[in-house]
Amino acid sequence: MSPINTAPVQTPLEARAHATFDALMRALSYPGRPQTLKLEDGRTAFAAIAEALLDLEVTAFSTEQSLEADLRATGAKLVSLERAEYVFMPHLTEAQLPLLQRVNRGSTLTPDDAATLVIGASFAEESLEPAQRLRLRGPGIQDSLEVRIGGLPLEFWRVREAVIAFPIGWDVFFVSGNQILGLPRTTIVEVL
Amino acid sequence: MAYVAARGGEAAILEAERLYKVMLGPLGMAQVRMLTDHLPYLLDRVMGEASLYAPELAALAVAQTGGDLYEAVLLLRAYRSTQPRLAYAAPIEQDAITTVRRVSAAFKDIPGGQVLGPTLDYSHRMLEMNVLRGQPTTTNSSVDVSSTVSSSPTVFPALAAWQRQAGLLPEITADTTTPDEIPDVTREPLLFPVSRSHKLQSLARGDTGGILALGYANMRGYGAVHPTINEVRLGYADVILTHPVTGVHFSAGQVRVSSAEIVTNFAGDPHDPRLELGFSATLGWNEVKVIAASMLDLSMGKAGHASQTPEFVLYHTEPVESSGFCIHFKLPHYVTFQSSLEAMRGVKQLERADDLLEMAEKVDA
Amino acid sequence: MSRLSELTHDWQDHSYAFLDEASKRELRRKILKAIAIPGYQVPYASREVPMARGWGTGGLQVTLTLVAPHDTVKVIDQGADDSVNAANIRRFIARVAGAATTTDTLRCTLLQSRHRIPEERLLEGQILILQVPEPEPLRGVETSSAASAVLHADADYGLMWLSLYEQIVRHRRVILGASYPVMVGGRYIMAPSPIPRWDVPMLHQAAHLTILSAGREKRLYAVPPYTDVRPLEFDDVPFRIEDQGGEVCYRTGAGHKFLNELPQDDGSSRFELSDSGYGEKLLRRQAGETVEIGATYYDERGGFYHDDLLR
């Protein structure tokens, strides 16, 4: 047996992808608590998330063409919204809200088939945009948690509530600059 | 540290491994070469179960584990899972396999002819005692086998193709699934109901002994199928890749493969009965395995004994999973044992309390 | 565009933490799904690793995906850091990931365990990875995994309740030992892995994330922090943790903790703490060292730290 004498080291890409995933995992484990991504060279959080999660085994969709090169670079297949396992919506507009109803929500037999959404929003404290006050409850939240999330059509929250019938439903990562905030399908959102 | 050090677990496992290696003796290229040169059927079996075609690595795995085949397969599988996927090879067609042996039990003669090829089937199974007396047998290379090779064609059609033409087997439509879209049991878990690709892949890398045991159970009477061997084939198949830049198809090399077709009659419409085909193929030459596996392919999914249900067959013939789980019972289980012991003592206590109560009532009476 | 220098690196026998990036990405995707659907068993490919199936390969794949050079890893088997298999897994993780190791529950960032949860409470940010031999809690009442998947989909748990009821009719109590079935988030019945009943309440409304992974059966699932995990029980036959019979650890004097029974030559038994890292710290404190010991799930009088769970 040839002994492995020294522990291998992470390549820069591995280290970066690992750190991004760590933030995603903590964001989803503690919904509503922003996590910070380390972004280099003007990379967007969307590209960083794609790099950590996507490869040629999965499918993706983006509402913005500008993001498609980043998605394609991972090897992921760009497909229609209905078939996409990862859906990127950097600027969710009022007009795009109906798209949310076409996203794969999974089934009771395979709720893990549901898509994961990555949506641009603003929740950083210094943000000047008007934000919606929300009260979150559910797994990952001790009792309840109040957060402010802006940069989204207000209707978003009604649409989300309408499509989720646990375990059916999709999970969201909100992106605001280099910050991410997780909202799994289990989180109950009360608009204040 | 005193609390943990008292058990010396870490030192103990290092010593135990060292003792094993001392008893096995030093390992060198000589052992690896001896295995690749002289035990090809052993390596074929290991490579098939590992689903990694690499004779030198298989020889190293067998040598390193002292011939413990389950350990050897695990070594190769663990190595395999570190290797990136660079490309998808084209499917291998039966009639493109350079065939050295193909026999059919269904007909006296078949298109292309019966080719016995290399086999021990008709040998007298007697130990060659002369070897022990220092008189080696003549080596393979000194025998001129060119006449037997050149006397027959090297590629043969599948017998099933003839049966299909003759209307004995149902027509099949060409499958347009591209190689990268074929479900891959090494990249995704086996789920039920099982896809046919997962079924055939699982059989291909199944434990030879396990596949034989369940296949035999089906042949012997637990299955509802009375099989005839259409053909058993041993040969060399080209691994055809597509050049990523030029798009040219080229052979990256050849692998030893074996395949078997089995048919049963009176399938389908009772008024228009057809034959039904069972198929299996694996890396390496392993006739017992492909015959038993094609039997299982045919009988799986037919209602009946557990040995015919895909879940039962495919889960329990997985060599790495079954052997690993079997030996894991050597691990300490004292916490779980303690927990169930407590539950059992609890029940005993309830019973004892009852007995005392009953006695007390009798005394009162 | 990636720079060419980013795509190449010096030759290594295998990737950092053994698994290649593609395997890790698959596990990342599945772990996120598991967190989003608490208690649901997510199927995953489960690559072979250099350890036999059934020896913690599921937990190991999760740990290898989560570990980074700055992590501190603790590995226990039956509660003990020095159990041979725990020692082996810890040695492997340190060897392929260069992570620090510890026996102190308070200091670890990742804790891989077989059959136990430590007595000291895990905190926010720590991750507990439980090795799972049998992820399907319904296997005892439904052998087919295809059929049990449908039962989970329909939340049709009648068979499970019936089997508990039958145990009570027959033995006047639930006779399950370890691996006691729990209801997660009010939706999924889950196998908590073969931890003793003593440990089951520790999963309820915990501050930490728990990931459970079965390598051989190719399923992983999670209990996010602050999630309801309730053992199955009837109103009139409540769930019961193991009765420690008032025994205390013969080395530390600690009571109201999970104890190993050690049979003695004279036919009697004596008892020691199952949690070796905790025991070690108690002994060091008794020897006069300054040792930080965390709050425990069960207090000195046996009271559990959440008061809404054990009746």
Side-chain angles (χ1 to χ4, degrees):
Chain A
M1 188 164 143
S2 84
I4 306 157
N5 292 318
T6 51
V9 293
Q10 286 177 308
T11 62
L13 190 146
E14 282 173 345
R16 210 164 59 208
H18 180 279
T20 304
F21 167 67
D22 200 64
L24 290 169
M25 180 176 64
R26 287 174 204 280
L28 211 59
S29 301
Y30 298 99
R33 296 197 211 173
Q35 307 286 328
T36 305
L37 298 182
K38 260 208 275 180
L39 301 174
E40 307 160 356
D41 308 343
R43 292 170 72 86
T44 66
F46 296 99
I49 291 170
E51 178 184 71
L53 297 181
L54 308 194
D55 56 30
L56 75 173
E57 317 255 354
V58 297
T59 55
F61 174 89
S62 169
T63 50
E64 314 255 318
Q65 260 189 332
S66 58
L67 206 56
E68 289 186 354
D70 284 328
L71 298 183
R72 236 182 238 115
T74 66
K77 265 187 219 151
L78 296 186
V79 297
S80 66
L81 177 63
E82 288 80 357
R83 286 184 51 213
E85 293 163 278
Y86 292 84
V87 175
F88 293 79
M89 304 179 134
H91 306 284
L92 181 61
T93 62
E94 195 92 41
Q96 286 173 348
L97 279 178
L99 295 181
L100 293 173
Q101 278 151 349
R102 290 162 45 199
V103 172
N104 187 355
R105 301 187 298 147
S107 65
T108 51
L109 196 59
T110 53
D112 50 327
D113 282 348
T116 301
L117 274 62
V118 186
I119 300 176
S122 68
F123 48 83
E125 285 189 10
E126 64 273 19
S127 171
L128 297 173
E129 283 188 63
Q132 182 61 52
R133 272 178 62 221
L134 307 165
R135 184 177 292 130
L136 311 182
R137 281 180 297 122
I141 301 160
Q142 199 174 14
D143 306 320
S144 72
L145 178 69
E146 222 179 275
V147 296
R148 288 168 164 278
I149 301 180
L152 293 171
L154 186 54
E155 270 296 275
F156 172 84
W157 301 106
R158 202 192 50 76
V159 174
R160 178 181 179 272
E161 197 184 336
V163 296
I164 291 176
F166 189 82
I168 291 172
W170 31 248
D171 313 308
V172 187
F173 291 104
F174 290 113
V175 169
S176 175
N178 66 347
Q179 302 244 297
I180 55 168
L181 185 144
L183 210 62
R185 65 194 82 174
T186 47
T187 306
I188 298 158
V189 178
E190 187 187 343
V191 178
L192 299 174
Chain B
M1 291 304 280
Y3 192 92
V4 241
R7 302 180 195 191
E10 184 133 8
I13 58 176
L14 292 174
E15 285 304 307
E17 187 179 342
R18 198 167 299 142
L19 178 61
Y20 180 91
K21 286 182 170 168
V22 167
M23 289 181 71
L24 201 58
L27 202 60
M29 263 319 278
Q31 284 96 326
V32 172
R33 216 159 276 141
M34 193 282 290
L35 287 164
T36 49
D37 290 351
H38 298 290
L39 299 176
Y41 289 92
L42 178 73
L43 300 189
D44 276 2
R45 178 167 171 169
V46 169
M47 292 189 294
E49 293 178 16
S51 43
L52 179 73
Y53 197 88
E56 196 173 57
L57 292 179
L60 178 61
V62 171
Q64 192 179 314
T65 55
D68 183 330
L69 296 190
Y70 287 114
E71 285 291 337
V73 170
L74 173 57
L75 262 181
L76 284 179
R77 289 258 191 110
Y79 174 80
R80 185 190 194 281
S81 66
T82 67
Q83 297 305 297
R85 168 152 303 176
L86 299 178
Y88 295 92
I92 294 166
E93 303 285 348
Q94 273 164 292
D95 57 13
I97 295 171
T98 304
T99 301
V100 298
R101 167 165 165 77
R102 188 191 64 150
V103 293
S104 172
F107 298 97
K108 182 166 187 293
D109 202 4
I110 50 176
Q114 305 261 17
V115 181
L116 271 181
T119 181
L120 285 176
D121 277 357
Y122 303 100
S123 69
H124 294 157
R125 272 68 164 201
M126 296 161 80
L127 285 169
E128 306 212 31
M129 293 297 190
N130 284 351
V131 174
L132 297 184
R133 286 194 284 273
Q135 300 157 12
T137 60
T138 45
T139 57
N140 292 344
S141 57
S142 68
V143 179
D144 181 15
V145 292
S146 58
S147 59
T148 49
V149 171
S150 61
S151 66
S152 51
T154 55
V155 294
F156 303 89
L159 184 58
W162 177 84
Q163 288 162 330
R164 221 163 259 132
Q165 233 169 18
L168 295 171
L169 274 172
E171 283 297 316
I172 46 167
T173 45
D175 193 332
T176 54
T177 312
T178 55
D180 61 319
E181 280 176 339
I182 296 171
D184 180 347
V185 83
T186 70
R187 299 273 154 154
E188 54 209 54
L190 198 55
L191 295 176
F192 297 92
V194 65
S195 70
R196 183 157 163 86
S197 8
H198 273 187
K199 197 197 277 185
L200 292 179
Q201 288 162 18
S202 301
L203 290 171
R205 65 200 231 124
D207 178 32
T208 303
I211 298 272
L212 173 62
L214 295 188
Y216 175 53
N218 271 274
M219 298 170 197
R220 194 173 154 269
Y222 284 94
V225 175
H226 300 279
T228 304
I229 292 185
N230 234 8
E231 65 160 67
V232 176
R233 185 191 292 255
L234 303 182
Y236 299 88
D238 281 302
V239 178
I240 304 290
L241 301 181
T242 307
H243 192 283
V245 180
T246 63
V248 169
H249 301 300
F250 68 98
S251 171
Q254 286 193 322
V255 292
R256 276 157 57 117
V257 292
S258 36
S259 70
E261 284 177 2
I262 265 182
V263 284
T264 186
N265 47 20
F266 286 103
D269 182 352
H271 301 291
D272 182 19
R274 301 282 178 95
L275 296 173
E276 196 181 357
L277 188 67
F279 178 78
S280 169
T282 189
L283 287 173
W285 291 355
N286 190 341
E287 290 183 32
V288 160
K289 178 162 150 180
V290 287
I291 294 169
S294 58
M295 181 74 208
L296 289 169
D297 174 48
L298 190 58
S299 55
M300 253 190 279
K302 299 197 193 307
H305 192 253
S307 67
Q308 288 172 284
T309 58
E311 226 184 287
F312 189 89
V313 172
L314 302 181
Y315 273 149
H316 300 129
T317 54
E318 212 322 300
V320 168
E321 282 155 22
S322 57
S323 64
F325 195 60
C326 174
I327 61 174
H328 112 280
F329 285 105
K330 293 184 286 188
L331 287 174
H333 281 80
Y334 54 80
V335 164
T336 47
F337 185 72
Q338 189 78 47
S339 181
S340 48
L341 204 57
E342 189 271 349
M344 203 177 82
R345 282 172 175 159
V347 171
K348 276 177 184 286
Q349 233 161 32
L350 286 172
E351 293 296 327
R352 224 178 0 253
D354 270 8
D355 291 348
L356 287 174
L357 199 67
E358 215 171 288
M359 261 161 53
E361 277 167 0
K362 271 186 196 153
V363 172
D364 278 355
Chain C
M1 261 303 164
S2 308
R3 273 181 251 114
L4 194 59
S5 60
E6 271 188 16
L7 300 171
T8 63
H9 55 77
D10 292 336
W11 166 260
Q12 303 183 142
D13 277 354
H14 52 81
S15 303
Y16 174 79
F18 187 79
L19 297 176
D20 63 298
E21 264 304 277
S23 306
K24 286 188 191 132
R25 267 192 303 267
E26 192 225 353
L27 275 149
R28 287 176 195 147
R29 295 191 292 261
K30 301 295 166 71
I31 288 169
L32 293 180
K33 285 281 163 52
I35 294 169
I37 319 167
Y40 170 75
Q41 302 165 46
V42 183
Y44 72 109
S46 186
R47 315 290 160 109
E48 280 87 1
V49 289
M51 238 157 256
R53 286 290 200 218
W55 293 59
T57 59
L60 185 62
Q61 289 178 76
V62 170
T63 303
L64 294 177
T65 301
L66 299 185
V67 72
H70 55 75
D71 274 310
T72 304
V73 181
K74 174 178 163 82
V75 185
I76 53 172
D77 189 328
Q78 317 294 297
D81 298 89
D82 207 39
S83 182
V84 282
N85 201 43
N88 193 34
I89 291 173
R90 183 172 52 244
R91 188 169 63 107
F92 181 74
I93 296 167
R95 173 174 160 182
V96 298
T101 61
T102 184
T103 59
D104 187 347
T105 299
L106 292 184
R107 284 188 47 223
C108 70
T109 53
L110 302 174
L111 199 170
Q112 180 171 335
S113 170
R114 173 168 174 265
H115 295 190
R116 269 315 312 272
I117 299 175
E119 302 288 348
E120 289 168 279
R121 286 183 224 164
L122 289 167
L123 307 170
E124 279 198 3
Q126 289 184 301
I127 301 174
L128 170 66
I129 299 137
L130 288 172
Q131 299 171 201
V132 180
E134 175 51 77
E136 182 49 76
L138 306 179
R139 186 61 46 88
V141 294
E142 172 54 70
T143 40
S144 155
S145 64
S148 52
V150 173
L151 295 179
H152 283 295
D154 299 341
D156 178 358
Y157 294 132
L159 284 173
M160 192 72 198
W161 287 106
L162 183 63
S163 87
L164 294 183
Y165 172 75
E166 281 174 346
Q167 290 176 24
I168 293 166
V169 168
R170 209 160 176 189
H171 301 287
R172 286 191 292 165
R173 61 170 280 173
V174 175
I175 55 162
L176 297 176
S179 208
Y180 192 95
V182 292
M183 177 68 82
V184 178
R187 174 58 178 79
Y188 285 106
I189 287 188
M190 181 188 92
S193 89
I195 52 175
R197 301 193 301 289
W198 183 266
D199 293 355
V200 168
M202 299 174 183
L203 294 170
H204 174 71
Q205 288 292 328
H208 70 277
L209 165 68
T210 303
I211 301 176
L212 304 98
S213 180
R216 186 178 50 81
E217 295 281 337
K218 303 181 166 71
R219 296 289 189 281
L220 69 82
Y221 47 106
V223 177
Y226 308 117
T227 299
D228 277 357
V229 177
R230 295 183 183 278
L232 300 189
E233 59 181 353
F234 296 95
D235 287 345
D236 50 344
V237 186
F239 167 78
R240 287 277 177 261
I241 57 172
E242 287 84 355
D243 183 357
Q244 300 295 318
E247 301 288 347
V248 296
C249 169
Y250 82 99
R251 309 183 68 178
T252 63
H256 296 294
K257 301 290 175 285
F258 194 78
L259 300 173
N260 296 328
E261 179 176 354
L262 307 171
Q264 300 300 300
D265 291 343
D266 64 0
S268 68
S269 292
R270 63 180 183 179
F271 295 85
E272 64 166 11
L273 278 176
S274 150
D275 181 345
S276 71
Y278 179 63
E280 179 194 342
K281 290 204 286 190
L282 290 180
L283 285 183
R284 280 168 45 196
R285 175 179 278 180
Q286 285 165 11
E289 271 183 67
T290 315
V291 183
E292 193 192 346
I293 298 179
T296 51
Y297 290 101
Y298 294 91
D299 63 25
E300 251 77 289
R301 292 182 310 281
F304 190 68
Y305 83 120
H306 283 315
D307 48 17
D308 69 327
L309 194 66
L310 297 177
R311 289 191 278 147

